[in-house]
Amino acid sequence: LAKTTQPISMDSYEGQEVNITCSHNNIATNDYITWYQQFPSQGPRFIIQGYKTKVTNEVASLFIPADRKSSTLSLPRVSLSDTAVYYCLVGDESGGYNKLIFGAGTRLAVHP
Amino acid sequence: EAQVTQNPRYLITVTGKKLTVTCSQNMNHEYMSWYRQDPGLGLRQIYYSMNVEVTDKGDVPEGYKVSRKEKRNFPLILESPSPNQTSLYFCASSFAGRDGQPQHFGDGTRLSIL
């Protein structure tokens, strides 16, 4: 059973860089890693996805080592509005990798 | 506007009274999915559908049914709701389940089963 493990919570201050690591030891060879952000009382929102090495978009970077057993979401210069829960997502082999597994998420609190 | 629409947004009902939560998407997505979210447990997948008439169990399917008769709709059915199904439910859709296709989520349905 594919499973992801993330820290339960993290604290940061405005302007700092935040790195959240997700462990996914059983990720399939051709599976992607996807990260979502969720604010209270809202559905999760896609942030970034990657397969290997490094991916960057306008809001975040995703670092994936060669063995792909973990990934790190990097949020540059966080602000108060980045306070949210962050989830990493991989597929599960029991469903042909169409069955998707969210971790419990990392609750990020950004302080002034 | 591209969106996933769930109805109702809130529902309080009693044990055993059948209910249906509707989900509709206007993006012509093939993949649709239902999740429940409980404190400390994150999002857990209930059922998913790869396409019309193709559905499969997620991690927590017990007590739920789904159907996919049309591409745009994926209702979640609780035939005999129980208090342990009190939760926040999200419907999501994407072009495909795997290959990193980002999922688009609805705004959620908060169910309370008394």
Side-chain angles (χ1 to χ4, degrees), chain B residues 12-47:
Chain B
I12 301 174
T13 188
V14 295
T15 299
K17 185 177 181 180
K18 180 179 178 181
L19 68 91
T20 299
V21 184
T22 63
C23 175
S24 179
Q25 50 93 4
N26 62 359
M27 295 166 279
N28 201 35
H29 284 165
E30 293 182 347
Y31 185 93
M32 296 186 74
S33 181
W34 276 102
Y35 297 86
R36 62 176 288 173
Q37 185 170 35
D38 303 289
L41 296 178
L43 286 146
R44 294 181 293 167
Q45 194 175 43
I46 303 171
Y47 269 95

Side-chain angles (χ1 to χ4, degrees), chain A:
Chain A
L1 177 69
K3 181 181 176 182
T4 58
T5 304
Q6 305 173 231
I8 294 174
S9 63
M10 296 181 70
D11 288 275
S12 184
Y13 292 91
E14 286 189 290
Q16 290 188 333
E17 178 184 75
V18 171
N19 296 308
I20 305 173
T21 297
C22 178
S23 170
H24 30 77
N25 291 319
N26 295 326
I27 188 170
T29 303
N30 57 353
D31 203 13
Y32 280 74
I33 301 144
T34 314
W35 283 80
Y36 290 83
Q37 176 192 55
Q38 185 181 27
F39 297 112
S41 301
Q42 294 184 24
R45 184 181 70 170
F46 171 82
I47 301 175
I48 197 167
Q49 70 183 24
Y51 180 74
K52 61 181 179 181
T53 62
K54 177 183 175 182
V55 179
T56 298
N57 63 21
E58 62 275 8
V59 298
S61 294
L62 180 60
F63 298 91
I64 304 170
D67 66 7
R68 301 192 347 110
K69 292 184 182 299
S70 66
S71 59
T72 299
L73 174 73
S74 181
L75 304 173
R77 297 179 299 283
V78 294
S79 64
L80 296 176
S81 63
D82 292 316
T83 293
V85 180
Y86 294 83
Y87 295 93
C88 74
L89 177 68
V90 299
D92 183 76
E93 67 272 17
S94 68
Y97 300 99
N98 294 304
K99 179 180 174 182
L100 301 174
I101 305 293
F102 278 83
T106 297
R107 189 172 299 274
L108 173 65
V110 179
H111 305 283

Side-chain angles (χ1 to χ4, degrees), chain B residues 3 33 43 61-62 72 79-80 99:
Chain B
Q3 59 185 2
S33 181
L43 286 146
E62 295 78 19
R72 63 181 293 132
E79 294 270 6
S80 182
D99 297 333

